[in-house]
């Protein structure tokens, strides 16, 4: 069972990375576009996480304050 926990992710990583090596190794333009795409997806995921987590913290913090109307 312990071998499956290390072998399965390794096989998956190799199978998903091989196409990128063969398709983008010779072309610097395609490689650059692929890297920009990976960077954009990472920024999108990080930004979504930031908004979700800190938005919840702000709501929890702001719910403790009372708003007084004049």
């Amino acid at each position: 069972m312990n071998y499956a926990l290390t072998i399965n992710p390794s096989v998956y990583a190799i199978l998903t990375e091989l196409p990128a090596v063969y398709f983008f190794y010779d072309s610097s333009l395609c490689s650059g576009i692929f890297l920009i795409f990976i960077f954009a997806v990472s920024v999108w995921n990080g930004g979504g996480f930031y908004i979700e987590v800190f938005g919840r913290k702000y709501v929890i913090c702001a719910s403790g304050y009372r708003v007084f109307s004049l």
Side-chain angles (χ1 to χ4, degrees):
M1 172 116 178
N2 291 335
Y3 294 118
L5 294 175
T6 57
I7 292 174
N8 289 341
S10 300
V11 170
Y12 175 76
I14 290 171
L15 290 177
T16 55
E17 292 170 2
L18 280 178
V21 171
Y22 286 117
F23 291 135
F24 303 132
Y25 185 74
D26 292 332
S27 174
S28 61
L29 177 65
C30 291
S31 177
I33 291 170
F34 183 65
L35 289 175
I36 290 171
F37 173 74
I38 290 174
F39 179 73
V41 170
S42 300
V43 168
W44 182 265
N45 287 337
F49 175 79
Y50 179 82
I51 290 172
E52 183 177 338
V53 169
F54 290 105
R56 286 183 187 166
K57 287 184 180 182
Y58 177 76
V59 168
I60 290 170
C61 181
S63 65
Y65 295 110
R66 300 180 94 194
V67 178
F68 297 103
S69 61
L70 297 174

